[in-house]
Amino acid sequence: MAAPILQQPSFLLANLKADATTKPLIQRCQDLVKIIDEYPAKELHLIFPWLVESVFGSLDGIIAGWNLRLLHSRNNEYNIVMEFLNPSGPMMKLVYKLQAEEYKYEIPVNYLPGPVKACIQEGVLPDCPLFHNKLQFPLSGVLTLNLALNPFEFFMFNFAYCLITPKNYPQGQHGSSTDTAYFVLVDTYLKYFLPSEGSVPPSPFSDSRGSVTAPPTRSSSVSFAGYGVHTPSLLKHHIFHQPSVNADPAAQEIWRSETLLQMFVEIWLHHYSLEMYQKLQSPQVKEPFSPTEEHVLVVRLLVKHLHAFSNSLKPEQLSSSPSAHSHTHTSPLEEFKRVVVQRFVQQKLYLFLQHCFGHWPLDASFRAVLETWLSYIQPWRYTGEKTNSQPDQNRTVPDKWESFVQENLLMYTKLFQVLLNRAVRTDLVNAKNALMVFRVAKVFAQPNLAEMIQKGEQLFLEPEHVLHHRQPRGYLTPSQGGSYLSSRQRVVTDVVFRVKSHVYALEGQDCQYKQMFGPELRGAVMKLIQIIAQARQTAKRISDHSNEVAANNSFLSWFGMGSPDPNNTFPGAEPEESGECLKKTHEFLDRALENLCQIFKLNQVQLTQLISNLGSSQDDGNSKQLPDCIQGENGLILTDLGRRQIISGLRRFDVQYQGDPELQPIRSYESALLVRLFYKISSLVNDRFGGHMNALCSRPDFLGRLGRHYLADPNASARLRQSPITRRTLERNRQPRLSLRPLASYRTLLLLLLLYVFGALLSFGPISSTLLILTGGFLYGVFMTLFGDKLKTH
């Protein structure tokens, strides 16, 4: 590292720190542009770490920086920030200026992802070459190890780490939007450094030897030819004997591309290892890292761009075999495209998605994880070719993608199985959850895809044979005849080897593979189909009930006799479970059933019989039953079966307000002033004459029944049977009391006004009209007391 000059740069840094608290952002950026242009690298070197921290925030999250994750295009500072941080802007110009002088900047090992940090602290060289030959060993020991990164690596590390740094967002703001400055910058950097067309623009600064002094990410003896299949290192190199790495001139063309990708993958995805994931199955082990929805959305952006980048490989390079490929005829960028997904992303993304599938909350935010997975397993969507207007499920997957499916077999089969376990625990009556099940079924129902997956499973299950003559591929299919050296046999053996290597690399040598099209998973699919059918019935029942309530309220609401629920929804239903959402739920689940039958070639007759048997067993009487419960001291207690019935949408409690009816929140159709006034009057009357009311309602004769009609809640006993209300609460609410709150309703007031107007037209005065209204109310009560029970039975 060049020796720093402390005098003038210290004043420069002090002035910049002072300006950061007084000057607006636009003026600070203008000053920085001038400083970057005019000052030499040895003076800019000292301000670079502070500038990076002031932009992206500190690694511990205490310093917020420019809040790129909250900065939207509608913000006035958005364009200023984007121009300053553009890949060809002033900030990157500073990076290249420092890069040419071989400056280094330290990052504590404690901020590295868990598996990388664990490797280093155990004295083992990490698998990722990005961290090789960069360790600094202080006198205090390995617990305070640092990485010495060059300016480009330091910049990209802080940029990538900004996504996972815990942030305290202001109330009402969140960082899961895809139009923030951070999200757009990620997209911009990916397109610039991993271009689908052309090559990466050269750096404007070079050293005396004519090339940018970038530490190579791999040794000259290691070529991309070995990157086609990822195999874990069997021999761990000790960290204190790091081998020297010679610069590979051919790699200089894409070192920034490799560095950016490796930094993104390591910081965003490499938080789980195979050993760590196996330990996480124990409920006592605390989660090491929990990604946010914003994090997953950025990962999906990375996946989509890498597919587009890889698919831009020229056909002649794609068809050439890795073992026979010559580097002299291919540019390093084309070589990079050929191996980028399998070599750099596959294993870490697999563990990342597997963790998300198992630990993400059972809510609609899981959609981000699901779409990231579906984006990865459909690389044919990102070829840049114009597709026909036909729907996805009718679009055949081209045969050329068969090798991708085989070399990513677990991404399809294992994650599908994990998703099944999640889906059966999800409320599929919710339209957003139903949509996710439909999306997965639709993707896997694409013609050719199921056959490709099934063929990949057959290749993995081929018996292993030890090849003689020291064959480079150690797996052979016994069904193929001929010599060991026959070309056809060698090709099949190579494919089997790739599939087996993929599975063993991701799951370990002792993995117990479960076939996606085996009998065990087929039973799990049938269970999901049954739950889907139950959810369809529940959605239809709720929809029918909502329609009935809406029809009744449209006529009765003017007379104050309609439902007090302004949303006209089924009691206990979520907002997403009403109106048009229920129609969407039914449509999504119907199409999901069709696609599942197509994927697993289910017998339509058996499926129809299963659904019809389910329908006949769930008649109207049974559908209105409570979830399975046991009677406790204070009311009903759910059993495990009852919980599953609620989750699947098969049965529900009639959840109602359980507090004092007089203290319910004031509705929009009520006068707040009158509600409070009538509550005070009612409370005075109830306190004064409560004993007389109890005595009247306790009488078994006609007067007692009439008193109970006016002073007691006739539906209290029904609520005890249909709701998990406690007996203590119910007994308190069953006490006879006078309630004047209905008079505070605007509908009641309008009806009374119309009656007084009608009375005035008939020449009745206010007093006479009042007496007639009270008499009518009393006669209505007498009528309901005498004939109410008979009317209810009819």
Side-chain angles (χ1 to χ4, degrees):
M1 185 189 300
I5 300 175
L6 298 179
Q7 189 174 4
Q8 189 173 351
S10 63
F11 288 114
L12 176 62
L13 180 60
N15 291 335
L16 288 174
K17 288 182 177 180
D19 292 344
T21 59
T22 58
K23 291 184 178 181
L25 180 63
I26 183 172
Q27 190 172 350
R28 282 183 279 148
C29 288
Q30 291 172 351
D31 293 343
L32 285 170
V33 170
K34 294 179 182 178
I35 291 172
I36 292 170
D37 286 337
E38 297 173 1
Y39 279 76
K42 63 181 180 180
E43 298 178 2
L44 295 174
H45 159 61
L46 289 183
I47 71 167
F48 183 62
W50 168 85
L51 180 58
V52 169
E53 187 176 80
S54 66
V55 172
F56 300 127
S58 58
L59 298 178
D60 55 14
I62 297 177
I63 300 174
W66 289 359
N67 276 323
L68 300 180
R69 290 159 57 184
L70 289 179
L71 192 62
H72 295 266
S73 56
R74 55 186 175 271
N75 193 293
N76 296 330
E77 298 177 342
Y78 177 86
N79 291 330
I80 302 170
V81 169
M82 297 301 293
E83 185 178 348
F84 187 77
L85 297 177
N86 190 277
S88 55
M91 188 70 172
M92 197 59 68
K93 183 178 180 180
L94 170 61
V95 171
Y96 294 144
K97 201 169 185 178
L98 296 173
Q99 187 77 39
E101 300 295 331
E102 301 188 14
Y103 287 110
K104 302 292 182 181
Y105 302 92
E106 293 186 348
I107 291 289
V109 168
N110 286 335
Y111 289 109
L112 295 178
V116 180
K117 180 172 65 175
C119 272
I120 293 176
Q121 291 178 346
E122 292 171 5
V124 177
L125 198 64
D127 287 334
C128 179
L130 183 67
F131 303 116
H132 295 182
N133 306 297
K134 293 182 174 66
L135 284 172
Q136 303 291 312
F137 301 101
L139 298 177
S140 55
V142 289
L143 293 180
T144 56
L145 282 173
N146 294 321
L147 286 181
L149 304 179
N150 66 41
F152 186 81
E153 293 168 339
F154 182 78
F155 175 84
M156 285 301 168
F157 181 93
N158 281 271
F159 176 71
Y161 204 89
C162 176
L163 177 65
I164 65 173
T165 305
K167 301 288 185 182
N168 294 322
Y169 291 127
Q171 189 173 2
Q173 292 184 325
H174 58 88
S176 61
S177 175
T178 57
D179 65 344
T180 62
Y182 187 84
F183 194 91
V184 176
L185 276 172
V186 171
D187 187 46
T188 304
Y189 287 158
L190 287 173
K191 290 176 179 176
Y192 185 88
F193 293 106
L194 299 171
S196 298
E197 299 292 336
S199 58
V200 184
S203 167
F205 291 91
S206 301
D207 64 1
S208 57
R209 294 167 298 190
S211 63
V212 177
T213 58
T217 55
R218 60 183 188 277
S219 67
S220 57
S221 60
V222 179
S223 69
F224 277 126
Y227 282 15
V229 177
H230 178 78
T231 54
S233 176
L234 300 179
L235 179 62
K236 297 293 185 181
H237 302 285
H238 200 273
I239 207 167
F240 295 99
H241 298 86
Q242 301 179 38
S244 60
V245 179
N246 300 320
D248 181 3
Q252 293 295 327
E253 180 182 335
I254 59 164
W255 74 264
R256 288 172 296 162
S257 304
E258 287 188 68
T259 300
L260 174 133
L261 177 61
Q262 290 181 349
M263 199 67 79
F264 283 1
V265 170
E266 291 297 313
I267 302 302
W268 295 344
L269 298 179
H270 197 187
H271 295 276
Y272 316 101
S273 62
L274 181 60
E275 298 79 10
M276 186 181 299
Y277 185 77
Q278 291 170 344
K279 292 178 182 178
L280 276 176
Q281 305 309 306
S282 173
Q284 288 79 21
V285 179
K286 185 180 178 182
E287 245 183 285
F289 178 81
S290 298
T292 61
E293 185 178 359
E294 176 194 15
H295 182 171
V296 176
L297 289 173
V298 174
V299 170
R300 184 181 183 227
L301 175 66
L302 173 66
V303 168
K304 291 168 65 176
H305 181 82
L306 289 181
H307 275 323
F309 175 69
S310 178
N311 291 337
S312 66
L313 180 65
K314 298 174 183 177
E316 60 270 17
Q317 305 300 339
L318 186 63
S319 60
S320 59
S321 63
S323 58
H325 198 69
S326 173
H327 293 275
T328 58
H329 298 89
T330 309
S331 70
L333 187 64
E334 294 297 307
E335 282 289 307
F336 191 41
K337 290 178 181 179
R338 187 172 56 83
V339 301
V340 63
V341 175
Q342 301 295 105
R343 170 63 181 90
F344 291 95
V345 180
Q346 184 198 71
Q347 184 183 43
K348 296 178 178 66
L349 180 65
Y350 173 73
L351 291 173
F352 178 83
L353 290 175
Q354 193 172 33
H355 182 273
C356 290
F357 275 40
H359 294 75
W360 202 274
L362 292 171
D363 57 24
S365 65
F366 182 71
R367 178 76 185 275
V369 180
L370 186 81
E371 293 298 337
T372 302
W373 173 50
L374 296 181
S375 293
Y376 183 84
I377 64 175
Q378 296 183 93
W380 45 87
R381 291 181 56 193
Y382 309 101
T383 58
E385 302 171 358
K386 292 184 178 180
T387 56
N388 299 328
S389 58
Q390 58 182 338
D392 287 345
Q393 63 266 30
N394 296 330
R395 194 178 301 146
T396 302
V397 177
D399 292 335
K400 68 178 183 179
W401 295 107
E402 186 173 34
S403 60
F404 179 88
V405 174
Q406 293 168 356
E407 294 173 14
N408 290 270
L409 186 63
L410 290 176
M411 282 286 193
Y412 295 89
T413 60
K414 180 65 180 293
L415 292 184
F416 183 85
Q417 296 171 32
V418 178
L419 184 74
L420 272 184
N421 295 332
R422 180 185 179 89
V424 297
R425 295 180 287 118
T426 304
D427 177 16
L428 298 183
V429 177
N430 186 301
K432 294 178 181 178
N433 295 332
L435 172 61
M436 288 190 278
V437 174
F438 160 67
R439 286 280 297 124
V440 175
K442 177 183 175 183
V443 168
F444 278 84
Q446 294 175 87
N448 280 14
L449 182 55
E451 289 75 10
M452 290 179 180
I453 296 172
Q454 201 162 7
K455 184 177 179 181
E457 290 190 322
Q458 292 170 356
L459 290 171
F460 173 74
L461 296 174
E462 287 284 355
E464 301 181 16
H465 291 262
V466 179
L467 295 184
H468 301 289
H469 309 293
R470 305 185 71 175
Q471 290 289 326
R473 295 291 183 259
Y475 299 100
L476 189 63
T477 56
S479 59
Q480 300 291 334
S483 166
Y484 281 118
L485 300 178
S486 66
S487 60
R488 181 181 179 186
Q489 192 170 30
R490 193 178 303 123
V491 170
V492 175
T493 303
D494 188 75
V495 173
V496 173
F497 173 80
R498 290 204 307 267
V499 176
K500 289 180 179 287
S501 298
H502 155 72
V503 174
Y504 292 143
L506 267 58
E507 286 287 318
Q509 294 287 337
D510 56 347
C511 72
Q512 299 294 324
Y513 184 80
K514 293 182 182 179
Q515 297 183 59
M516 180 172 171
F517 296 95
E520 183 177 349
L521 192 71
R522 192 180 183 89
V525 171
M526 295 301 292
K527 181 180 179 182
L528 175 62
I529 288 175
Q530 187 177 14
I531 292 175
I532 289 175
Q534 292 173 347
R536 287 168 67 234
Q537 290 185 357
T538 304
K540 186 177 185 304
R541 189 171 69 249
I542 296 174
S543 179
D544 292 344
H545 181 89
S546 299
N547 293 336
E548 291 175 6
V549 172
N552 292 335
N553 284 354
S554 64
F555 176 75
L556 297 176
S557 60
W558 285 100
F559 302 96
M561 299 171 62
S563 169
D565 184 4
N567 295 322
N568 294 330
T569 56
F570 188 82
E574 297 294 333
E576 295 84 359
E577 299 173 5
S578 57
E580 292 297 322
C581 289
L582 290 170
K583 295 180 182 178
K584 292 181 180 178
T585 296
H586 206 276
E587 179 184 352
F588 291 147
L589 295 180
D590 269 344
R591 295 171 67 183
L593 280 177
E594 295 174 5
N595 290 329
L596 286 173
C597 292
Q598 180 181 341
I599 297 165
F600 293 93
K601 295 181 172 57
L602 300 178
N603 189 318
Q604 193 65 34
V605 176
Q606 294 178 347
L607 181 67
T608 305
Q609 184 65 33
L610 173 67
I611 296 177
S612 61
N613 291 341
L614 179 66
S616 62
S617 64
Q618 302 299 329
D619 56 12
D620 289 340
N622 191 33
S623 66
K624 294 179 181 178
Q625 289 181 4
L626 293 180
D628 192 65
C629 304
I630 58 175
Q631 186 66 50
E633 293 183 1
N634 294 324
L636 301 176
I637 301 175
L638 272 175
T639 63
D640 291 338
L641 174 60
R643 293 188 184 94
R644 289 196 295 270
Q645 290 171 338
I646 291 178
I647 291 174
S648 64
L650 185 59
R651 297 182 184 179
R652 289 176 180 271
F653 278 117
D654 184 10
V655 180
Q656 297 182 3
Y657 179 78
Q658 297 183 6
D660 188 344
E662 296 299 305
L663 297 178
Q664 294 186 56
I666 297 174
R667 305 295 198 271
S668 60
Y669 54 81
E670 292 179 320
S671 169
L673 178 63
L674 292 179
V675 168
R676 297 186 178 97
L677 176 62
F678 287 147
Y679 176 73
K680 292 179 180 178
I681 296 174
S682 301
S683 299
L684 289 174
V685 174
N686 292 330
D687 291 342
R688 184 75 178 271
F689 301 103
H692 297 288
M693 293 179 185
N694 280 327
L696 175 63
C697 293
S698 300
R699 294 176 57 164
D701 55 7
F702 175 78
L703 287 178
R705 292 167 58 194
L706 185 63
R708 287 192 292 274
H709 172 78
Y710 284 108
L711 302 175
D713 184 1
N715 298 320
S717 298
R719 280 208 302 271
L720 175 62
R721 294 190 301 269
Q722 298 295 326
S723 176
I725 185 173
T726 62
R727 292 184 178 275
R728 188 177 307 162
T729 303
L730 180 68
E731 291 299 328
R732 183 182 68 244
N733 295 339
R734 288 176 65 179
Q735 295 295 326
R737 69 177 79 186
L738 175 67
S739 177
L740 298 176
R741 181 162 177 168
L743 297 177
S745 170
Y746 292 125
R747 293 176 296 185
T748 305
L749 294 174
L750 180 59
L751 182 60
L752 289 175
L753 178 61
L754 292 176
L755 290 175
Y756 277 108
V757 170
F758 184 72
L761 293 175
L762 297 177
S763 301
F764 288 107
I767 298 177
S768 300
S769 296
T770 303
L771 291 175
L772 286 174
I773 292 172
L774 292 176
T775 301
F778 175 76
L779 292 176
Y780 174 78
V782 171
F783 177 80
M784 292 302 296
T785 301
L786 293 173
F787 305 105
D789 293 338
K790 293 182 180 180
L791 291 174
K792 288 180 181 178
T793 56
H794 287 292

